[in-house]
Amino acid sequence: MDPFTSTLTAVTSEVVREAARPLIEQGRRELVRRRIRKPVEADAVLQSVPGPEVGLFDALDLLRSLPVGVAPSHIQRAVKSRTFSVLSRQLLAIALCGGTRTDKDRIERGLRGLLLRTLAPAQRPDLLRYCGQFFTLLDLCCTDVSKKVRAAFKQADPTYTWGDQPLLKATVATIEQSVSAMETEEKGTWRQEYVTAFIRTYEKIELPDFDLRKRVHYSKIFVAPNFAMLQLDEEPYEPRRPGRGRSGYQTGFHSLVTSVGHTVVLGDPGAGKSTASSVIGCRWSGEGRGICYILKIRHIDFTRSGFNLVKSIRQMISETFQQEVSEQNISRSLLDGSALVVFDGLDELAETVSGRLVSHAIEVASLAYPLARFLVTSRRLGYTAVQLDRSIFHDYILQPFDSGQVESYARKWFTFRSEGSEKQLKKAVMDFMGASESIPDLRENPLLLAVICLLHAGHSELPRSRPKIYRKCVELLLRTWDSHRGIGEHRLDLEVFEIVLAEIAHLTLFEPAHRAGMTESQVREVAVRVLLRDAVSDRFEAVALAKRMINLCRGRAWMFTDVASGPPDAEIFSFTHQSFQEYFAARRLVLTCDTPAELAVEIEKCVLDEKLEIFSQICLALSGEKFVSGPTQVYLHCLRSNAERPSRAQGAMLGFLSRTANLVMLNRTALLALVRKVLRHMSSDTGFNALPVLLRSDYRSPLALRHVIGEALREMWQEDRADLARICDLTPWLWEICLREGVVPLTDVGRLFEGYMHKMVSEEDSCSAEWLMKSLQGRRTPALGDRDICVGILEGVAEQIRTYGIRTEDGPEAPYALFENNPMARLTSRALARHQQLSPDAVVGLVSVAMAFCEVSAHYQPGAITERTGVLYEFMEARLRREPSQLPSGTGNLPRADKTRIDRWCRREVSFFEWVDLSVETG
């Protein structure tokens, strides 16, 4: 092969491999979503493709057939163009999922057009002949790469089929449209001008500080979040498990930027969805990956038949950047794969627009432009009703900040506040981290973290309740505004300000005409009406106060402010974040309800319509400010009325009440009523997720809540043992709760090692055996059990063994966490060493559990029990050597029958468990 053909082959192969990367990344995400343990890595696959065999191209002789007037550098320039990359990706799609000869002819036509434009000086007949040879080269490269890709995915998941991938089929289906769009060369510098304007607009973030109202580059305040992909068997909204919280396939911010694909980013209020999407757009554009269009979904004019994506983008560019771009240029950017389209706020739809219609319109657009990248943001709550097709889009959850990210943000924030030395800055950050340590669930939210930073700068304590934090925001806003404007004696009353914002929030949240905001004149009109109704008697004073409020809010992009300019009295005002809007709307609803029952009815409407859960939670929290035992009264009314609803509606309501129970103060009566209803509902699918929420270790008064759950279980055991036993069979972790609360006896020692509770709620104890050993020697905590219950469990084990002997059962599937750092071995040895504190029967039970653990450990991790583990090591060694004389000396003090039974176990005449592979256990 001549040097030019060799070089061109290498360059073409490299371009094809890179064109295959998005396809491989897309397939990899699908494998991850299916929980394939070893998904395909794009780099590994592409590195295994060294390029087509040299012999395949000897006959092409691309150097000798090069047209007159065409230099090799001209050909290489064409190969490195975006159009060539698009054609390569389309040809790969044909090779992977199948296509017709007509499809290949279209790509060859596109290649011919590219070369004709690039190699204009060449003679046309020679060039056409050369195009045919060059297409053969490209086709062979794509075939070679596709074979490697198919083999890699087949090895990872034999059931994976490329022909079932909608985006791949759409890529083939749109070849004609794509080739036609690229037949004419793009003219002008509109891309460069747009990218410059885009970055200038979105690269700066409003600093969350009333005193320092300034926009700074995102790198100075933005902390890159992490994302977790939703698996196929996960729902968009599931309560995070304590101690884990960041489940699923993890990916970093940079990884998401480079492989954004067709992605949905879900997050809780204030999680930073819009900010993250803006930064992704800046990175995408600034790093030369392409061009980004950010569309606010609430601003798109959707009709019953959908919307026109190209026209919507053109209108956005015209209104936001004051630039005019042709629809042809926009369409080309979508077809050539250089565009990233961000649909921000799928959850912020107008009441008159169907969420499912919008989702379908976005799906249609993504299939019409399969090479473009699409990023959609939405709240987790409510996304189920508008969920995008999971065969097209991959759902990622924006993860809460961990302590490192919180500290990084605090450092950046205090850098703008502190004028001291580096040492003083470190101290300020350390003080903040210590002061906010008690509210990790609040500071992990970026929006609330900004508020907490601000509160910490001016207050000695931080409130835990979200409504109190929102109220502090209002106080900060008023106090800061007053001090800077010298209002002094004419301070604006906080309560007056709140009732006006509450009315505006209600209108903008529930009235379709005001969903996008209110004009200045409308805000003033509402404020005057409310002030005359609730606060002042003189209209002149009301108008003056309304104007002061508007001036207070104008230009402060924090809570309620002007969001769009316009002629006098026509500026648009709106809440900067839905969290504040919901807080004030909730205050208004609570104030207007005369009884807890009336408030409960309004909350039920929102919950059963699967809307405004955060709003409903805030209503519950605020009910305590108006009614005596407000949350308790609302809960009891909701639970009473819930009995008449269909099973699914009951489950939705119980799920909401369970998730909210940690946010409000409830008395024992309300908690017990809630737990009773949840347990009675356990037989339906919708009830299974409610009880684990109540078992969270970070719950308000978790010890008292565990007692309440135990009381409800004992009642159920007394009323209908068969029903509770049936539910425990369906949900084994519930049996563990019953055991730990002393509701049911232990009849099978192996169940102590199953660890279903650990898997369900990610509690610290790996299984009930570890919980039992901790409880025997630890102080009373929410995670540990009552010592009398634990002693009773051990005495029950002794009675079972004395009655039936050591019965061989199937070995349990113990969790891996049981052997991490060997806590169980150390705890068991310590309990054995302190056996004098137990009754004789409990000692026999304890020794039996220790013997059972030796068998479990020998099967799963033979080296887990060593000399360092103390007394337990003597049991293990005696069984391994079959020498009863090597058992701990204390066993000689046990009753003769019990000692004989232990000796038989030591000689391996009896065993607790039978394993599939006994050779592992017997060493």
Side-chain angles (χ1 to χ4, degrees):
M1 181 186 294
D2 61 82
F4 171 67
T5 302
S6 177
T7 302
L8 185 57
T9 300
V11 173
T12 303
S13 297
E14 178 62 27
V15 172
V16 171
R17 286 198 292 270
E18 286 306 306
R21 186 180 295 276
L23 301 177
I24 298 173
E25 290 290 352
Q26 177 187 333
R28 169 183 165 76
R29 287 192 290 269
E30 181 61 29
L31 293 182
V32 169
R33 195 165 60 179
R34 296 183 184 186
R35 296 187 185 271
I36 300 301
R37 304 184 93 180
K38 294 183 178 180
V40 174
E41 294 285 352
D43 288 336
V45 175
L46 296 177
Q47 288 173 4
S48 70
V49 186
E53 297 178 13
V54 173
L56 292 173
F57 300 98
D58 285 338
L60 293 179
D61 200 4
L62 293 171
L63 178 61
R64 209 174 326 172
S65 58
L66 198 66
V68 177
V70 176
S73 59
H74 296 156
I75 300 294
Q76 292 190 21
R77 186 167 66 246
V79 170
K80 293 180 180 180
S81 68
R82 182 177 296 278
T83 299
F84 188 83
S85 177
V86 171
L87 295 172
S88 301
R89 188 167 166 185
Q90 292 169 335
L91 199 53
L92 279 166
I94 292 175
L96 286 170
C97 73
T100 64
R101 181 61 224 182
T102 302
D103 294 324
K104 284 194 174 185
D105 290 342
R106 289 167 177 161
I107 294 176
E108 186 172 3
R109 189 188 88 205
L111 179 62
R112 187 162 57 245
L114 171 64
L115 294 179
L116 285 172
R117 293 190 300 275
T118 308
L119 314 177
Q123 296 293 323
R124 187 175 180 86
D126 293 340
L127 187 55
L128 292 178
R129 187 165 50 253
Y130 190 81
C131 287
Q133 293 175 298
F134 194 56
F135 177 77
T136 303
L137 166 65
L138 177 60
D139 193 19
L140 288 169
C141 289
C142 289
T143 300
D144 188 66
V145 171
S146 67
K147 287 180 180 178
K148 296 288 187 180
V149 172
R150 280 181 178 275
F153 276 79
K154 195 72 173 177
Q155 182 178 1
D157 181 7
T159 65
Y160 189 87
T161 54
W162 288 95
D164 294 337
Q165 306 306 311
L167 286 174
L168 211 59
K169 292 191 289 186
T171 301
V172 176
T174 57
I175 288 175
E176 174 63 29
Q177 183 184 4
S178 177
V179 169
S180 298
M182 292 183 290
E183 282 182 337
T184 57
E185 189 171 357
E186 190 173 81
K187 296 181 180 180
T189 58
W190 78 271
R191 285 194 186 227
Q192 182 178 351
E193 293 170 358
Y194 173 79
V195 168
T196 301
F198 177 90
I199 293 177
R200 186 170 57 244
T201 300
Y202 286 102
E203 72 178 352
K204 292 189 176 180
I205 298 176
E206 183 82 27
L207 189 66
D209 192 320
F210 297 134
D211 292 333
L212 303 174
R213 188 185 185 280
K214 59 186 294 188
R215 290 170 60 82
V216 299
H217 193 274
Y218 67 81
S219 62
K220 296 185 180 297
I221 192 64
F222 177 73
V223 175
N226 294 319
F227 303 84
M229 183 191 291
L230 271 181
Q231 312 294 331
L232 283 175
D233 56 352
E234 289 182 311
E235 293 300 321
Y237 184 79
E238 290 182 355
R240 286 188 299 104
R241 300 175 182 178
R244 184 172 295 177
R246 296 167 175 82
S247 59
Y249 168 71
Q250 299 286 316
T251 187
F253 184 78
H254 178 70
S255 297
L256 194 73
V257 173
T258 57
S259 59
V260 60
H262 286 57
T263 300
V264 177
V265 171
L266 304 171
D268 295 322
K273 303 179 290 295
S274 297
T275 301
S277 61
S278 297
V279 176
I280 288 174
C282 288
R283 291 276 300 274
W284 177 268
S285 303
E287 295 173 2
R289 299 179 184 278
I291 192 167
C292 179
Y293 307 117
I294 295 183
L295 300 174
K296 302 290 185 181
I297 290 182
R298 65 177 179 271
H299 295 160
I300 298 176
D301 185 18
F302 289 97
T303 65
R304 295 182 63 86
S305 57
F307 79 116
N308 187 302
L309 177 59
V310 174
K311 289 184 177 179
S312 296
I313 292 175
R314 188 183 186 196
Q315 181 180 353
M316 177 275 296
I317 295 175
S318 176
E319 294 176 353
T320 306
F321 304 105
Q322 302 300 308
Q323 293 181 357
E324 294 300 326
V325 180
S326 69
E327 293 184 7
Q328 181 182 4
N329 284 337
I330 295 172
S331 179
R332 181 188 176 101
S333 69
L334 293 168
L335 289 166
D336 67 15
S338 63
L340 166 62
V341 182
V342 177
F343 288 101
D344 187 26
L346 184 58
D347 54 295
E348 299 175 9
L349 299 174
E351 292 288 343
T352 56
V353 177
S354 164
R356 192 54 242 165
L357 182 151
V358 173
S359 298
H360 178 68
I362 294 175
E363 292 163 1
V364 170
S366 67
L367 293 177
Y369 303 102
L371 299 186
R373 315 298 178 96
F374 288 85
L375 176 66
V376 183
T377 69
S378 175
R379 281 190 179 189
R380 293 172 68 182
L381 280 173
Y383 177 65
T384 305
V386 295
Q387 187 166 19
L388 292 161
D389 189 338
R390 300 184 79 173
S391 66
I392 303 174
F393 285 86
H394 293 86
D395 303 330
Y396 287 85
I397 293 179
L398 198 58
Q399 296 293 275
F401 276 177
D402 57 30
S403 59
Q405 290 167 316
V406 170
E407 184 173 350
S408 177
Y409 181 91
R411 168 171 283 276
K412 291 185 175 186
W413 193 89
F414 283 111
T415 298
F416 288 101
R417 295 280 304 190
S418 174
E419 297 180 355
S421 63
E422 176 66 20
K423 184 177 180 180
Q424 291 173 316
L425 175 62
K426 286 183 178 180
K427 184 178 185 305
V429 174
M430 287 180 60
D431 290 345
F432 171 80
M433 294 299 292
S436 62
E437 190 174 6
S438 62
I439 49 173
D441 59 322
L442 296 184
R443 75 180 189 181
E444 68 183 12
N445 180 288
L447 175 68
L448 295 178
L449 175 59
V451 177
I452 295 168
C453 285
L454 197 59
L455 292 177
H456 184 268
H459 295 74
S460 57
E461 61 180 17
L462 296 173
R464 177 180 175 85
S465 166
R466 283 173 177 78
K468 288 182 180 178
I469 286 184
Y470 297 147
R471 185 178 179 86
K472 286 290 184 183
C473 288
V474 181
E475 293 175 354
L476 280 170
L477 176 62
L478 288 174
R479 181 167 56 253
T480 306
W481 185 76
D482 285 350
S483 63
H484 278 269
R485 285 168 172 76
I487 292 178
E489 59 182 356
H490 301 293
R491 296 178 61 87
L492 187 58
D493 187 83
L494 175 61
E495 187 175 357
V496 171
F497 189 75
E498 282 188 322
I499 62 173
V500 172
L501 282 183
E503 189 70 23
I504 294 172
H506 173 79
L507 291 172
T508 55
L509 189 62
F510 293 105
E511 295 294 333
H514 299 303
R515 285 295 296 268
M518 302 176 72
T519 64
E520 181 179 342
S521 60
Q522 290 173 330
V523 171
R524 186 168 57 249
E525 180 184 341
V526 171
V528 169
R529 185 178 73 244
V530 173
L531 290 170
L532 287 173
R533 183 191 68 193
D534 298 330
V536 299
S537 57
D538 180 72
R539 183 173 182 81
F540 178 80
E541 183 182 357
V543 172
L545 277 174
K547 288 181 178 179
R548 287 179 60 195
M549 290 179 184
I550 292 172
N551 289 332
L552 168 72
C553 296
R554 180 180 282 109
R556 293 185 172 275
W558 182 241
M559 189 160 44
F560 182 76
T561 188
D562 50 320
V563 295
S565 59
D569 280 354
E571 286 182 296
I572 302 298
F573 281 73
S574 181
F575 287 91
T576 56
H577 197 278
Q578 192 167 341
S579 297
F580 298 115
Q581 181 188 35
E582 290 174 336
Y583 163 71
F584 285 108
R587 289 197 70 86
R588 194 257 191 192
L589 177 61
V590 172
L591 286 172
T592 56
C593 289
D594 294 327
T595 64
E598 187 179 342
L599 178 60
V601 170
E602 295 299 323
I603 291 174
E604 288 169 345
K605 291 178 183 177
C606 293
V607 174
L608 297 178
D609 288 343
E610 298 183 355
K611 295 179 180 179
L612 302 175
E613 176 160 332
I614 302 299
F615 166 80
S616 302
Q617 290 176 351
I618 297 173
C619 287
L620 267 169
L622 294 175
S623 66
E625 297 181 8
K626 182 173 183 180
F627 307 112
V628 177
S629 301
T632 290
Q633 293 194 61
V634 173
Y635 258 70
L636 292 175
H637 184 279
C638 289
L639 290 171
R640 284 193 295 269
S641 61
N642 201 41
E644 306 300 325
R645 297 191 178 99
S647 177
R648 187 169 185 81
Q650 287 187 35
M653 197 68 213
L654 289 174
F656 165 77
L657 294 175
S658 300
R659 291 190 293 272
T660 310
N662 189 37
L663 307 177
V664 296
M665 289 188 293
L666 300 173
N667 64 21
R668 186 180 183 84
T669 301
L671 281 175
L672 185 58
L674 174 62
V675 174
R676 284 169 179 162
K677 294 290 186 181
V678 168
L679 288 173
R680 291 299 178 189
H681 198 67
M682 288 289 286
S683 57
S684 68
D685 293 340
T686 51
F688 288 149
N689 287 334
L691 193 56
V693 173
L694 295 173
L695 294 170
R696 289 175 48 163
S697 59
D698 61 347
Y699 237 61
R700 185 191 299 268
S701 304
L703 182 57
L705 185 56
R706 288 291 178 101
H707 281 316
V708 169
I709 294 174
E711 181 179 343
L713 286 169
R714 279 186 287 275
E715 290 178 0
M716 195 171 183
W717 177 257
Q718 294 170 0
E719 295 172 4
D720 193 343
R721 295 191 177 188
D723 189 35
L724 181 57
R726 179 180 58 81
I727 296 174
C728 287
D729 287 338
L730 294 173
T731 53
W733 52 267
L734 184 61
W735 175 87
E736 289 193 62
I737 300 175
C738 292
L739 177 72
R740 299 182 189 191
E741 292 297 327
V743 178
V744 298
L746 177 65
T747 58
D748 181 359
V749 176
R751 300 202 68 175
L752 288 173
F753 302 97
E754 290 174 341
Y756 286 106
M757 273 282 287
H758 172 74
K759 298 172 186 175
M760 176 57 61
V761 296
S762 298
E763 66 172 14
E764 182 181 350
D765 301 324
S766 61
C767 60
S768 290
E770 184 177 338
W771 163 85
L772 181 62
M773 296 304 159
K774 281 184 179 179
S775 301
L776 285 172
Q777 54 200 290
R779 292 182 302 171
R780 187 77 169 99
T781 71
L784 302 184
D786 186 280
R787 184 179 176 83
D788 292 340
I789 292 178
C790 297
V791 170
I793 291 173
L794 293 178
E795 291 174 344
V797 171
E799 182 180 355
Q800 286 285 324
I801 290 179
R802 285 169 176 169
T803 303
Y804 302 105
I806 297 178
R807 298 178 298 176
T808 302
E809 306 283 352
D810 291 337
E813 295 184 12
Y816 175 76
L818 179 62
F819 307 103
E820 288 185 301
N821 302 320
N822 294 335
M824 179 63 185
R826 293 193 298 272
L827 289 167
T828 305
S829 288
R830 198 175 301 144
L832 289 167
R834 300 175 181 176
H835 68 275
Q836 297 89 348
Q837 303 173 8
L838 301 175
S839 66
D841 289 344
V843 172
V844 173
L846 175 62
V847 170
S848 301
V849 173
M851 289 157 43
F853 176 64
C854 285
E855 292 188 37
V856 172
S857 181
H859 177 76
Y860 284 102
Q861 197 168 13
I865 299 178
T866 63
E867 291 185 39
R868 295 181 181 180
T869 56
V871 182
L872 192 64
Y873 177 71
E874 297 179 34
F875 278 95
M876 178 65 88
E877 279 293 295
R879 181 168 168 85
L880 287 173
R881 300 176 185 277
R882 306 191 187 202
E883 285 289 342
S885 61
Q886 295 191 13
L887 287 165
S889 58
T891 58
N893 299 325
L894 297 175
R896 183 186 298 271
D898 296 319
K899 180 62 170 66
T900 300
R901 193 177 300 107
I902 296 172
D903 290 346
R904 292 188 64 208
W905 174 85
C906 182
R907 291 191 293 268
R908 303 195 194 183
E909 296 173 4
V910 293
S911 296
F912 285 93
F913 309 119
E914 180 178 5
W915 308 96
V916 176
D917 183 7
L918 288 176
S919 64
V920 176
E921 184 218 339
T922 58

